[in-house]
Amino acid sequence: MRKKMLVPYLTGGIRPDWTRYLEEYERSGADAIEIGLPFSDPILDGPTIQEASDLALSRGVSPRSILDDLAGLKITIPLIAMTYYNLVLHKGADRFCQDLAEAGVSGLIVPDLPLDEAGALSEAAIKHGVDLTLLASPVTAPDRLAEIASRSRGFVYAISVMGTTGERDQVAGDGIKLAVELRKLTDQPILLAFGISRPEHATAAAEACDGVVIGAALMRKILDGGEPEQMGAVLSEFRRALDTVTV
């Protein structure tokens, strides 16, 4: 039986000791961790992640400071940076990917990167051993869906709804259909994101995909004061739920 993947999201620099959440997430069963590099115009993020990004930026956090914080951490699971294309362009694709690799980050997600313009960043990522993961949505045209499935590295990031990140009452049926379609196109893992807010959402999604990304549901609790140990306990509930899903 293959274990379903659990990938929590954390806004980098959300508080001075933010890397403690990374350590707790690993202890609590995460298979990888998505780290948001805050940006002032996060077009894909809903109110919760925007609030977290604003808080981090108000502390003076930058991509450089986040990567410096990661240096020397004893984290053995993959760390995946999520950020926006402006920050990549500001640094330059090659240097940006080099900085990620030197900090121990092995994956990159850039949600506003146009597929037709991904060549240079993809080449830089490959050069530095960073997996550039591409996004697919329920309205992605079939030909582009096939191209995304072919070019994505690490996994394919399947967005369950057309909209921004955020907590929802149920897993969108369109997201499940998307995961099923992607499975026909690639052997890469398919992770479903957006709106996976409760353990039962994770199990429902995992019936159709290889794992889930948990973002706003965790960040809301952190913004409300959730300590690393408390958040580890929350993530453990998702881990136990996913472990009930057989392949």
Side-chain angles (χ1 to χ4, degrees):
M1 185 177 71
R2 187 171 69 249
K3 184 175 74 168
K4 297 293 184 175
M5 294 178 65
L6 175 60
V7 181
Y9 167 93
L10 177 67
T11 299
I14 186 67
R15 53 187 243 182
D17 62 346
W18 70 275
T19 58
R20 288 177 55 209
Y21 291 100
L22 303 180
E23 295 166 343
E24 286 297 328
Y25 285 168
E26 180 175 29
R27 278 194 284 268
S28 301
D31 296 293
I33 304 173
E34 182 183 337
I35 300 172
L37 306 184
F39 180 57
S40 57
D41 187 22
I43 58 174
L44 193 72
D45 294 319
T48 298
I49 306 297
Q50 287 187 28
E51 181 181 347
S53 294
D54 288 345
L55 179 57
L57 291 171
S58 73
R59 296 188 53 249
V61 163
S62 68
R64 180 70 268 164
S65 70
I66 290 173
L67 296 182
D68 287 344
D69 286 345
L70 294 176
L73 276 185
K74 305 298 183 183
I75 301 290
T76 62
I77 59 176
L79 300 177
I80 304 160
M82 197 291 283
T83 195
Y84 289 89
Y85 199 27
N86 274 18
L87 293 181
V88 178
L89 292 173
H90 176 74
K91 195 76 169 182
D94 188 79
R95 183 55 187 271
F96 190 87
C97 291
Q98 180 181 343
D99 287 350
L100 292 180
E102 290 177 350
V105 176
S106 59
L108 174 61
I109 302 167
V110 185
D112 61 340
L113 171 67
L115 181 61
D116 297 333
E117 299 176 22
L121 181 55
S122 179
E123 290 175 7
I126 291 170
K127 174 183 174 182
H128 294 288
V130 174
D131 288 330
L132 179 61
T133 293
L134 303 178
L135 286 76
S137 81
V139 298
T140 301
D143 58 335
R144 292 181 74 83
L145 198 65
E147 185 176 359
I148 289 167
S150 173
R151 294 174 60 181
S152 190
R153 295 292 176 265
F155 59 94
V156 181
Y157 198 104
I159 297 173
S160 66
V161 295
M162 289 304 298
T164 58
T165 62
E167 297 178 76
R168 290 177 170 84
D169 292 331
Q170 61 185 7
V171 180
D174 285 347
I176 301 295
K177 293 177 184 176
L178 173 63
V180 171
E181 288 303 308
L182 283 167
R183 174 52 60 235
K184 301 173 185 176
L185 299 171
T186 181
D187 292 330
Q188 294 262 34
I190 297 160
L191 301 190
L192 196 62
F194 287 28
I196 312 296
S197 306
R198 298 193 289 269
E200 57 267 31
H201 294 172
T203 56
E207 295 288 349
C209 63
D210 300 290
V212 295
V213 179
I214 316 294
L218 297 176
M219 291 310 305
R220 182 69 266 158
K221 290 180 171 61
I222 291 173
L223 288 167
D224 290 343
E227 292 293 321
E229 295 78 9
Q230 294 172 311
M231 298 311 302
V234 171
L235 197 70
S236 292
E237 296 178 7
F238 283 93
R239 178 74 273 164
R240 287 192 291 270
L242 283 175
D243 288 346
T244 67
V245 182
T246 58
V247 179

